[in-house]
Amino acid sequence: QVQLVESGGGLVQAGGSLRLSCVASGRTFSRFTIGWFRQAPGKEREFVAAITRNGGSIYYADSFTGRFTISRDNAKDMVYLQMNSLKPDDTAVYYCAASSYFDARLPSDYAYWGQGTQVTVSS
């Protein structure tokens, strides 16, 4: 089993930045692709970014390229999502998740999920 816990969310003004963190327990991150998703009220869960278990491949949804950066530190069992130039439309609950697939972009690709962390971007 893998347990994931997100942190780093909060309230930020438009144009600001946040760094989200995801820590794993039970197993190390090195065995899994780690992804970030977000979900706003009334919307489907949306893929943001993913990084493979060796860190060699990174995938971003088009909406986030150039603004968001995913990284991982397997020695610390940590994955990060650096979010810059935040917009009010970025307001959502952000989740990290673990997948056994190398190319994982759908919620159904992920077997393990964190509880989510709220990100609110004010105008």
Side-chain angles (χ1 to χ4, degrees), residues 44-117:
E44 297 293 322
R45 191 161 295 188
E46 179 184 20
F47 174 74
V48 176
I51 185 166
T52 55
R53 60 191 182 188
N54 63 1
S57 295
I58 294 174
Y59 310 99
Y60 294 102
D62 289 343
S63 299
F64 312 110
T65 55
R67 293 196 300 126
F68 291 6
T69 302
I70 189 171
S71 61
R72 70 188 298 162
D73 185 344
N74 286 336
K76 298 180 179 179
D77 290 341
M78 297 286 290
V79 171
Y80 307 96
L81 183 69
Q82 179 68 45
M83 305 186 295
N84 299 324
S85 301
L86 285 164
K87 307 171 183 178
D89 286 348
D90 294 321
T91 297
V93 177
Y94 285 72
Y95 300 88
C96 67
S99 174
S100 61
Y101 298 103
F102 287 100
D103 186 356
R105 311 186 194 213
L106 299 174
S108 59
D109 293 329
Y110 289 82
Y112 306 99
W113 293 82
Q115 85 290 346
T117 186

Side-chain angles (χ1 to χ4, degrees), residues 4 22-30 73-79:
L4 305 171
C22 176
V23 63
S25 62
R27 293 186 180 181
T28 62
F29 277 161
S30 63
D73 185 344
N74 286 336
K76 298 180 179 179
D77 290 341
M78 297 286 290
V79 171

